[in-house]
Amino acid sequence: MGCLGVGVRLSVAFFVVACGGSPTVKVGPASIDPVTGRPCEFGSSNLSIASAEELSQAFNCGFTGNLTLTRDLDMAGFPLKPLGSSSAPSGCVCDGAGFTVSNLEVRSLSVDEPAGLASVLTGQIKRLRLVGSQVLGLGQTGTLAGRKQGLIDQIQIENAVVAAGAFG
């Protein structure tokens, strides 16, 4: 049986490939996560995240679906790019499910892009505890979102560093 490929271009490349099994969702612009070195592929548009590597891959590959944590995560060594952008805001629902993410590092090196867990949040970030987070941006910068248009609910932030402007 051959493979069926469907491509749709939104703000990032999106492909569904079915090869006799369940579909694989490939999300990019990058085809390889620069932090983990793994291909940018996801089993669905709703991810259950159980490791720092999985969360890193979702953020750094431009994932646009919904994320739910299934355990506490230590993100040391797994820097993230913000979800979404000014031209394609993040409508993602990020559900921390009451878990803690520690040592989070988010960097946006573009003056034109807000920085935070989401660049521009139009979706939701909820039920999440952040400990020891560091968010660095050149423009609008916040721990959860550079610019918020969505819902933020039941969030606890401890020991956060947020820096906007020139940094090295």
Side-chain angles (χ1 to χ4, degrees), residues 11 21 23 40 42 49 59 70 77 98 101 103 111 114 140:
S11 61
C40 292
F42 305 99
I49 302 292
F59 273 71
T70 61
V101 174
N103 302 310
V111 170
Q140 296 171 310

Side-chain angles (χ1 to χ4, degrees), residues 1-74:
M1 174 179 199
C3 292
L4 167 68
V6 178
V8 177
R9 176 135 175 90
L10 299 171
S11 61
V12 295
F14 176 87
F15 299 96
V16 176
V17 181
C19 297
S22 60
T24 299
V25 179
K26 295 185 179 183
V27 180
S31 59
I32 301 291
D33 175 2
V35 174
T36 66
R38 294 181 58 198
C40 292
E41 297 181 359
F42 305 99
S44 84
S45 60
N46 295 303
L47 294 181
S48 294
I49 302 292
S51 72
E53 185 175 339
E54 289 173 349
L55 187 62
S56 173
Q57 184 178 18
F59 273 71
N60 296 328
C61 289
F63 182 72
T64 58
N66 299 320
L67 307 169
T68 302
L69 296 184
T70 61
R71 58 179 293 228
D72 292 337
L73 301 178
D74 182 349

